[in-house]
Amino acid sequence: MPTNQNTGAPVPGGAAGGNVVLSAKGLTKEFKGFVAVKDVDLSVREGSIHALIGPNGAGKTTCFNLLTKFLQPTRGVITYRGKDITGLAPAEIARLGVVRSFQISAVFPSLSVLENVRIALQRPRHLATQFWKPETALSVLDDRAADLIRSVGLDAFINHTAGELPYGRKRALELAATLALEPDVMLLDEPMAGMAHEDIGHIADLIRQAAEGRTVIMVEHNLHVVEDLCDAVTVLQRGEILAEGDYQTVSQDPRVREAYMGSEHD
């Protein structure tokens, strides 16, 4: 098995050991002399669920924002299916199939569950900017929207206003809207953040279902979720890769336990 040149750790192979779908080489981000991410080499395998973890201030969110182009790297190269995407804007990345969610719920609170998903469906069907079309013209999207809503367990809430939903159901709605964009690679920023304990298992199951036929990258603090869901784990510390491998491998690494996991397992 190949190893990471920075750490000597095995490069994760993913659930199916597929080809590399998204990668970074020498990824670095500096903010006025402060190095938030330094020389990160990352390879995400097709069909895997790949987690970025680490203690607070490790550079996880910065790395995540670099991969999705919400931040421009100081140096380094990002490739998607062999294509250099380093200079592309977030919207261009999304059109290629690299779609992200956010740490906070991002739904339209005054619209219904159906309307939220239908709006997301307009983009891949090139209807997003056709404002002159009457609302009835969008009814062609209703069946697909209903399927997505059903897939995340919100069929009983299809006509409810999104703002009325409990937090966990809002996150499920956000996942349905993300899936409506037909992602090839789906990036989830702390999907369990602020989640009540009883909702975590449900959202984890939805992510597992959503990962069928696509690649998922997630930043997550809940190590039990990472252990349960993820095929590959990259641990960051002070902006650099500390370890890589499956959860069992990285959780037993003394450096990782000292930096992050020790407080969780002691």
Side-chain angles (χ1 to χ4, degrees):
M1 177 181 294
T3 58
N4 181 279
Q5 293 181 355
N6 289 338
T7 66
V11 174
N19 295 325
V20 173
V21 62
L22 186 69
S23 68
K25 181 70 174 177
L27 195 61
T28 300
K29 181 62 180 178
E30 299 177 0
F31 295 98
K32 296 182 179 180
F34 171 71
V35 182
V37 171
K38 181 180 179 182
D39 293 327
V40 166
D41 292 348
L42 183 68
S43 295
V44 179
R45 298 278 174 178
E46 187 166 19
S48 68
I49 303 178
H50 193 126
L52 299 178
I53 68 171
N56 290 333
K60 304 181 299 296
T61 298
T62 301
C63 188
F64 194 86
N65 287 333
L66 290 169
L67 291 173
T68 53
K69 301 314 310 299
F70 281 78
L71 285 175
Q72 187 66 21
T74 304
R75 59 181 177 272
V77 176
I78 304 167
T79 59
Y80 168 65
R81 296 195 176 279
K83 173 184 172 65
D84 186 345
I85 62 170
T86 313
L88 298 186
E92 294 173 298
I93 300 294
R95 281 193 289 270
L96 288 174
V98 181
V99 177
R100 70 169 291 175
S101 72
F102 292 86
Q103 183 175 342
I104 59 173
S105 180
V107 300
F108 297 101
S110 63
L111 300 181
S112 71
V113 168
L114 176 65
E115 289 167 333
N116 267 273
V117 178
R118 194 168 64 185
I119 285 173
L121 284 168
Q122 288 177 242
R123 181 176 291 279
R125 288 156 179 78
H126 308 292
L127 296 171
T129 57
Q130 298 185 25
F131 301 112
W132 64 88
K133 286 185 175 289
E135 184 177 0
T136 53
L138 300 178
S139 61
V140 67
L141 304 176
D142 286 355
D143 286 347
R144 177 57 181 154
D147 286 342
L148 288 165
I149 291 165
R150 190 177 304 110
S151 75
V152 297
L154 292 179
D155 40 316
F157 301 87
I158 190 168
N159 294 316
H160 286 225
T161 302
E164 300 174 352
L165 297 177
Y167 183 73
R169 297 193 188 279
K170 286 180 182 176
R171 298 313 299 260
L173 174 57
E174 185 187 57
L175 184 58
T178 303
L179 291 172
L181 297 174
E182 300 177 358
D184 177 40
V185 178
M186 185 165 62
L187 297 102
L188 305 176
D189 188 7
E190 297 194 27
M192 307 301 171
M195 195 79 64
H197 178 74
E198 59 269 20
D199 291 325
I200 289 176
H202 175 60
I203 298 299
D205 286 341
L206 294 181
I207 292 172
R208 186 180 289 106
Q209 294 170 27
E212 295 178 4
R214 59 177 54 86
T215 305
V216 175
I217 306 170
M218 56 190 290
V219 171
E220 183 53 58
H221 279 292
N222 189 315
L223 299 184
H224 297 296
V225 170
V226 172
E227 180 179 16
D228 181 51
L229 274 182
C230 298
D231 307 298
V233 181
T234 297
V235 185
L236 295 172
Q237 184 185 35
R238 300 188 183 93
E240 300 183 72
I241 292 179
L242 182 64
E244 288 186 303
D246 58 28
Y247 182 86
Q248 187 64 28
T249 299
V250 300
S251 66
Q252 297 303 316
D253 189 313
R255 299 168 304 166
V256 174
R257 293 177 67 86
E258 180 181 357
Y260 180 45
M261 294 184 181
S263 61
E264 295 280 341
H265 292 277
D266 287 347

